[in-house]
Amino acid sequence: MKLWGGRFDKETDVLVNDFNSSIRFDARMYREDIEGSIAHATMLGEQGIISREESEQLVTGLRELLADIQAGKVEFSEDNEDIHMNVETLLTQRLGAAGKRLHTGRSRNDQVAVDFRMYVRGEIPKIVKMLLELERVLVRQAEANVDTVMPGYTHLQRAQPVTFGHYMIAYANMFCRDITRFEDCLERMDECPLGAGALAGSTHPLDRQRTAELLGFARPTDNSLDSVSDRDFAIEFLSACSILMMHLSRFSEEIILWCSWEFKFIDLDDAYSTGSSIMPQKKNPDVAELVRGKTGRVYGSLITLLTVMKGIPLAYNKDMQEDKECVFDAIDTVELCVPVFSAMLDTMTVRPENMAKAAAGGFINATDCADYLAKKGVPFRDAYTLVGRLVNHCIATGQTLDTLPLEEYQALSPAFGEDVYQALSLNTCVSQRKTTGGPAHDEVLRQIARIRAFVEERSEQ
Ligand code: ARG
């Protein structure tokens, strides 16, 4: 008979039994479920709601059950619906009468809310740690390439010169924001819903402060209806995962472009590439492509949970059982993607000569040419138009701004002097971009130092 079988005259239909059961996926939270129960049983004993002996019996029984589950000695049953009822049933089989007192002043609604929170809370530091490792790789690649000039693009058209180091730090900044998003989410979820009961608290003198403290939460949640209805923490977590995956996916897209023969800015290590079953010449960036592809399923998880939650009244509704698989899948996906992505970046070979070649060919110093004239007193808008004509002339005659003879420069404007070549060299174009955040050597070193400090601050903890 079901734990809740008292009110029923018939057994659950097998189809419904299967349909309703969540044990095949929520068994993952067995540790959190047992820790929550240990805290609850401890508090029940301290408050005199159950006897001290029963409380101790429950705690010991729960600890033993945990050890047995970890040792693979326990099998969960579909008939017991979910992890909460499986644990309670197993405990009662072992302890008899005391086991039946565990659920005093508690509901599966506050129980699942606390378990799920603890589960997500436990995964965030793991993800942050992986991201910190990614940051270290980016810092290393950036440091090695502070002077590696490459074209920066807008509309995927060569735009202005940057360096590969500057580029790596762009991504490093994106991942810093991801880390702080996970940290923010962790801080906001640091409240314990246990003791909210089914929805309306309890008539037993529960000490919610105490269970919150035993489970390592900053405080109990403040409203019992909200406590059991709220899945914001999971939605925020999925948002942070989705934004992170969006960043990884953009980065993947660039990696894929960069290792094509059209660019050849980088080579991926053989260990991080795959071949083709038919085309012998192929070396494919499958890792980057899979990361880009897996981004979709994480977005899917976010949309799943937002949609599950959008139409349900307070408090608990069974719809909410659909909150877990999407979150677990997002966790698995993120924890799979980040380390392999870091390793791929760590082992890639940068091709500065190809970057330099691409940087030299695309008039990416045209803005600098207009700036040159502006510094000589020509109004920028006029300078811009003049340089536009120069570029046109170069394209028509197969030249670049670096090779155009001075007479041809001066035919357009007498403001051009011999120093134009120096001003337009790619090295000057990069080294003069000293504005805060720009690609100049020292400025990128400053940006690197900032990322490094961000990482170190968190590595000490
Ligand atoms: N397995 C359920 C879930 O995951 C636990 C809560 C069930 N509560 C209930 N009143 N049926 O959401």
Side-chain angles (χ1 to χ4, degrees):
M1 194 169 82
K2 297 283 188 210
L3 273 181
W4 37 255
R7 184 213 186 283
F8 290 77
D9 295 327
K10 265 193 186 173
E11 288 289 310
T12 318
D13 186 276
V14 272
L15 280 176
V16 176
N17 205 36
D18 260 12
F19 184 65
N20 204 34
S21 161
S22 55
I23 186 64
R24 66 186 178 282
F25 53 85
D26 65 16
R28 234 205 227 237
M29 307 191 300
Y30 71 85
R31 197 163 47 80
E32 289 72 18
D33 192 73
I34 291 178
E35 279 168 6
S37 288
I38 290 176
H40 183 66
T42 306
M43 179 278 294
L44 290 179
E46 288 171 358
Q47 293 295 99
I49 300 167
I50 61 174
S51 73
R52 285 271 173 182
E53 300 71 58
E54 280 165 332
S55 165
E56 276 160 27
Q57 246 184 301
L58 284 172
V59 171
T60 313
L62 285 161
R63 290 215 176 103
E64 284 168 8
L65 182 58
L66 178 60
D68 289 348
I69 297 173
Q70 279 165 341
K73 292 189 204 153
V74 175
E75 229 175 273
F76 297 124
S77 154
E78 286 276 328
D79 290 339
N80 290 326
E81 202 173 310
D82 55 26
I83 187 61
H84 325 296
M85 297 210 289
N86 267 276
V87 167
E88 190 182 332
T89 305
L90 287 160
L91 189 72
T92 305
Q93 280 164 7
R94 292 171 174 217
L95 300 184
K100 295 193 199 165
R101 296 199 191 268
L102 175 63
H103 213 50
T104 314
R106 189 176 70 170
S107 155
R108 276 188 295 158
N109 299 350
D110 58 342
Q111 198 179 351
V112 73
V114 75
D115 290 7
F116 195 29
R117 251 180 218 245
M118 288 199 291
Y119 191 86
V120 175
R121 181 180 73 171
E123 294 304 315
I124 290 177
K126 293 191 206 165
I127 294 173
V128 168
K129 201 166 165 221
M130 291 173 180
L131 288 173
L132 290 173
E133 181 51 31
L134 174 56
E135 296 284 28
R136 282 185 208 102
V137 172
L138 288 172
V139 162
R140 199 184 63 69
Q141 289 288 13
E143 274 175 333
N145 291 287
V146 182
D147 298 312
T148 307
V149 176
M150 69 179 279
Y153 296 80
T154 62
H155 313 266
L156 203 55
Q157 303 286 320
R158 290 173 193 164
Q160 292 180 344
V162 294
T163 64
F164 196 66
H166 188 230
Y167 222 103
M168 291 299 100
I169 296 302
Y171 280 102
N173 273 283
M174 290 148 82
F175 297 122
C176 283
R177 290 196 295 276
D178 288 320
I179 291 171
T180 55
R181 248 185 294 276
F182 283 113
E183 289 171 347
D184 288 352
C185 158
L186 193 57
E187 196 181 314
R188 225 175 343 270
M189 74 165 73
D190 195 13
E191 294 186 340
C192 184
L194 196 59
L199 74 163
S202 172
T203 54
H204 294 286
L206 306 178
D207 184 350
R208 293 195 57 210
Q209 194 66 49
R210 180 69 176 136
T211 41
E213 177 191 307
L214 285 169
L215 293 172
F217 285 98
R219 65 193 84 84
T221 50
D222 203 38
N223 175 288
S224 62
L225 280 166
D226 180 41
S227 305
V228 290
S229 309
D230 170 38
R231 294 294 181 271
D232 289 4
F233 64 94
I235 294 174
E236 281 188 34
F237 172 75
L238 288 175
S239 311
C241 290
S242 297
I243 298 173
L244 162 63
M245 290 304 294
M246 179 269 288
H247 291 153
L248 285 174
S249 184
R250 290 182 80 171
F251 206 163
S252 295
E253 172 66 15
E254 306 231 50
I255 297 283
I256 294 160
L257 285 173
W258 289 342
C259 65
S260 73
W261 281 102
E262 282 68 13
F263 281 80
K264 262 295 167 241
F265 286 2
I266 58 160
D267 264 318
L268 293 179
D269 193 81
D270 279 359
Y272 288 88
S273 318
T274 47
S276 155
S277 60
I278 171 170
M279 296 168 280
Q281 84 283 15
K282 291 296 283 291
K283 185 171 150 185
N284 295 329
D286 285 23
V287 170
E289 289 171 58
L290 266 176
V291 169
R292 189 177 58 181
K294 283 177 188 291
T295 300
R297 61 197 288 167
V298 178
Y299 290 4
S301 292
L302 172 62
I303 298 300
T304 297
L305 190 52
L306 282 170
T307 312
V308 165
M309 298 305 291
K310 75 182 266 293
I312 50 182
L314 306 186
Y316 180 85
N317 299 266
K318 190 73 172 202
D319 316 43
M320 290 163 78
Q321 183 164 283
E322 288 293 311
D323 61 359
K324 281 175 275 305
E325 284 161 292
C326 52
V327 169
F328 295 159
D329 190 73
I331 289 170
D332 293 345
T333 306
V334 166
E335 292 183 1
L336 200 63
C337 289
V338 179
V340 72
F341 194 87
S342 300
M344 177 186 71
L345 284 185
D346 198 28
T347 52
M348 74 182 172
T349 309
V350 179
R351 300 273 174 232
E353 42 331 319
N354 293 341
M355 293 185 191
K357 225 181 286 163
F363 298 100
I364 64 176
N365 46 6
T367 315
D368 302 78
C369 189
D371 286 342
Y372 168 91
L373 287 176
K375 284 174 198 161
K376 301 261 174 185
V378 182
F380 179 78
R381 191 46 70 208
D382 295 338
Y384 169 93
T385 309
L386 273 172
V387 177
R389 276 195 223 126
L390 265 181
V391 169
N392 236 342
H393 172 71
C394 286
I395 292 171
T397 56
Q399 305 183 81
T400 69
L401 292 175
D402 315 70
T403 58
L404 193 71
L406 189 58
E407 311 81 72
E408 295 183 34
Y409 268 115
Q410 286 175 336
L412 257 129
S413 167
F416 282 114
E418 195 52 64
D419 56 349
V420 69
Y421 299 104
Q422 171 60 28
L424 296 191
S425 88
L426 286 180
N427 284 337
T428 315
C429 295
V430 171
S431 66
Q432 290 312 305
R433 294 187 134 74
K434 294 180 201 156
T435 35
T436 305
H441 180 99
D442 287 352
E443 184 43 34
V444 171
L445 288 184
R446 184 199 59 76
Q447 295 173 44
I448 292 174
R450 199 169 147 265
I451 303 294
R452 196 196 283 288
F454 178 96
V455 173
E456 272 165 17
E457 217 175 278
R458 285 159 178 81
S459 311
E460 288 153 12
Q461 289 163 10

